[in-house]
Amino acid sequence: MAAEEVLQTVDHYKTEIERLTKELTETTHEKIQAAEYGLVVLEEKLTLKQQYDELEAEYDSLKQELEQLKEAFGQSFSIHRKVAEDGETREETLLQESASKEAYYLGKILEMQNELKQSRAVVTNVQAENERLTAVVQDLKECMRTRHSTSPEDTATRCHLRRREQPSPDTEPASTLILDLQPPEL
């Protein structure tokens, strides 16, 4: 009889070990997926940051060039005022060229400012997503610590990871990971 009870206890522990091993494997897989997604987001963030830096450098260059053109325009305008009759014709031509260049560069600056604003918005969105994913990973780590630090009978909470569709006002609906902490079923 005692041998039978020992065999039942051993079988019970084997079953419990198999269940816990399976649960650990699933949780580890989920953590790896979350980490991989976080790395993809970080790579995208770095790419966007590099594009943002390039756009900002180009914007500064165009702005400096515009200032130089304005200065040159002012100098040429004062020189042409002093020129006599044939200077008037030349002055009009230079004014038109300068005005069209100024309009072109102003248009370019506005275009670059818009691109810069869009890049900043994308960087902000990527940073927010990265922070959200970091929080999910932290919650998963905390959940794993809670699971491993208590016995199955004493577990006060259980972690469930599920997907929920959450539309964003300016993009298509995005799939979002939600971490629920729920009391165990009795």
Side-chain angles (χ1 to χ4, degrees):
M1 237 202 243
E4 211 175 286
E5 287 177 17
V6 169
L7 284 176
Q8 286 179 345
T9 304
V10 168
D11 287 341
H12 171 72
Y13 284 134
K14 281 182 181 179
T15 304
E16 188 65 19
I17 288 171
E18 288 174 9
R19 183 187 66 77
L20 290 173
T21 302
K22 182 180 177 185
E23 204 173 292
L24 177 63
T25 302
E26 289 172 1
T27 304
T28 303
H29 180 71
E30 289 170 355
K31 284 172 58 176
I32 289 170
Q33 284 180 329
E36 288 172 349
Y37 184 73
L39 288 174
V40 168
V41 169
L42 286 175
E43 288 174 9
E44 189 176 322
K45 177 186 173 188
L46 291 175
T47 301
L48 289 172
K49 173 84 170 103
Q50 182 180 5
Q51 289 174 352
Y52 170 81
D53 291 342
E54 290 170 1
L55 286 172
E56 197 166 39
E58 190 175 345
Y59 169 78
D60 290 340
S61 172
L62 285 173
K63 190 175 179 181
Q64 184 179 12
E65 193 173 337
L66 177 64
E67 289 299 320
Q68 290 172 350
L69 280 172
K70 283 182 179 179
E71 188 178 316
F73 172 78
Q75 289 174 356
S76 82
F77 183 78
S78 64
I79 288 172
H80 288 290
R81 275 183 112 186
K82 297 175 185 174
V83 176
E85 306 163 15
D86 56 300
E88 278 183 27
T89 307
R90 190 163 189 242
E91 182 179 11
E92 288 178 14
T93 305
L94 286 174
L95 285 173
Q96 289 174 352
E97 287 176 2
S98 294
S100 80
K101 283 183 180 180
E102 185 174 357
Y104 168 77
Y105 285 114
L106 284 174
K108 263 303 221 194
I109 285 175
L110 289 174
E111 180 182 322
M112 303 251 351
Q113 285 175 335
N114 287 335
E115 289 178 10
L116 188 61
K117 286 178 187 175
Q118 290 174 352
S119 294
R120 285 180 178 158
V122 169
V123 167
T124 300
N125 290 341
V126 168
Q127 286 173 339
E129 180 66 12
N130 192 25
E131 290 171 8
R132 188 190 66 73
L133 286 173
T134 300
V136 167
V137 169
Q138 288 300 328
D139 288 344
L140 283 172
K141 285 180 181 178
E142 184 61 36
C143 183
M144 289 303 298
R145 271 186 283 210
T146 303
R147 279 191 175 174
H148 293 294
S149 66
T150 60
S151 67
E153 296 83 26
D154 296 334
T155 302
T157 60
R158 249 193 289 170
C159 297
H160 296 282
L161 193 61
R162 62 182 170 86
R163 249 177 225 291
R164 179 181 74 167
E165 294 299 314
Q166 182 178 22
S168 175
D170 56 341
T171 61
E172 297 178 11
S175 183
T176 304
L177 292 177
I178 304 298
L179 184 65
D180 288 337
L181 296 177
Q182 299 176 348
E185 296 174 12
L186 298 177

